[in-house]
Amino acid sequence: MSDTRSQLKQIATEQIRRHTLHSASFREMGKVLGIKSSSVHYHFENREALLQELIDDYEQAFFSRLDALCEGMSSPVKQLQTLASLFSDSHSQQCQCLCLAFAAAGSETSAAQRAAVERFLLRLEGWICTVLTSAGVPQPATELQARFILSALEGALLLDRDQPEAQRLNAVIQYLPAFVNSHSTPQPETL
């Protein structure tokens, strides 16, 4: 991939995560990089293709980072706190989850983009379900609880977005251990 193409994708991702989906226009991207908007068209067929590529790249990068951070980690609570730390990192960078920006745009996005956002959310809920199951949370409650945890993290990040302190996000993070412990069944002790 060309360096200019990578830079354009990075600019678009940052614009969307810091503002809204609409802030990633070819004109604005070109302005930031110091090129004409027609030059941006050289790298991307159209805006829809760019946006679809951004979602796909975001999902890949998010899960690669999450898996790397949780590698070798056996504590479900620590795994969930590691997930939450990704949201804290976003807050400290004054960013929102890219998929949240797409979800907030609603019908202004294409069907393919909405499907990609749903795929990301389902994949993340699946990851959380796996962690909850390893913590001894009984099935089928894990699916509902995974949605609850993801909604709490995404919602708190959105509500704290323009705040200097991540009060709501920090509250979710602090509550995660108690939530997991209150919903898990005690594991038998091994000798």
Side-chain angles (χ1 to χ4, degrees), residues 115-189:
V117 168
E118 183 66 13
R119 182 185 67 230
F120 172 83
L121 295 173
L122 289 173
R123 185 175 175 189
L124 190 48
E125 287 170 1
W127 185 92
I128 296 168
C129 279
T130 300
V131 172
L132 292 173
T133 299
S134 72
V137 175
Q139 294 283 350
T142 56
E143 187 176 314
L144 182 62
Q145 291 170 358
R147 286 184 182 147
F148 175 81
I149 290 170
L150 179 56
S151 297
L153 289 168
E154 290 281 14
L157 179 59
L158 178 63
L159 292 170
D160 286 340
R161 184 170 145 192
D162 293 328
Q163 304 300 317
E165 298 294 322
Q167 293 177 357
R168 291 159 192 86
L169 186 56
N170 288 334
V172 171
I173 294 167
Q174 289 173 11
Y175 182 67
L176 276 174
F179 179 84
V180 171
N181 292 332
S182 69
H183 290 87
S184 61
T185 55
Q187 300 296 315
E189 290 186 34

Side-chain angles (χ1 to χ4, degrees), residues 18-91:
R18 289 184 191 275
H19 306 290
T20 65
L21 192 62
H22 295 291
S23 63
S25 70
F26 279 18
R27 181 176 307 208
E28 285 303 312
M29 291 165 44
K31 188 187 300 183
V32 170
L33 200 54
I35 61 175
K36 294 180 182 181
S37 64
S38 59
S39 296
V40 177
H41 282 276
Y42 170 79
H43 296 281
F44 303 100
E45 180 182 342
N46 55 40
R47 187 169 183 269
E48 296 302 313
L50 165 66
L51 295 177
Q52 187 67 44
E53 200 171 317
L54 294 180
I55 295 172
D56 295 340
D57 289 354
Y58 182 79
E59 179 180 0
Q60 179 65 32
F62 184 94
F63 283 100
S64 292
R65 184 168 179 216
L66 181 59
D67 291 343
L69 290 171
C70 290
E71 188 176 339
M73 192 179 288
S74 61
S75 166
V77 169
K78 289 198 183 303
Q79 290 173 328
L80 289 173
Q81 289 174 324
T82 299
L83 169 63
S85 75
L86 296 179
F87 286 83
S88 291
D89 290 349
S90 291
H91 180 269

